[in-house]
Amino acid sequence: MAVPKRKMSRSNTRHRRAQWKAVTPRLAPVTVDGSVYLVPQRLVKAYERGLLRPEG
């Protein structure tokens, strides 16, 4: 496991952490039982196979 040689300052730590940004998932249309739903793109196959049920 990597271990830092020197202590990182609080300012540097916070600047590094501030670069991380959450992104909203891309939504893709899926037709289930004749209704169109917008679901995250990575879950489209699960909805098509019936493993997940759309809410609403």
Side-chain angles (χ1 to χ4, degrees):
M1 184 172 137
V3 178
K5 259 188 176 176
R6 296 174 187 267
K7 182 176 180 176
M8 184 179 262
S9 70
R10 178 180 291 177
S11 175
N12 282 345
T13 300
R14 290 182 177 164
H15 278 285
R16 179 176 39 82
R17 287 182 181 161
Q19 299 304 315
W20 184 86
K21 299 281 189 299
V23 293
T24 57
R26 290 178 296 186
L27 299 178
V30 174
T31 305
V32 179
D33 296 332
S35 299
V36 177
Y37 299 96
L38 288 177
V39 298
Q41 187 174 2
R42 65 188 193 94
L43 298 177
V44 169
K45 286 186 181 178
Y47 281 99
E48 288 174 347
R49 293 178 183 165
L51 300 174
L52 295 174
R53 294 184 187 155
E55 297 175 8

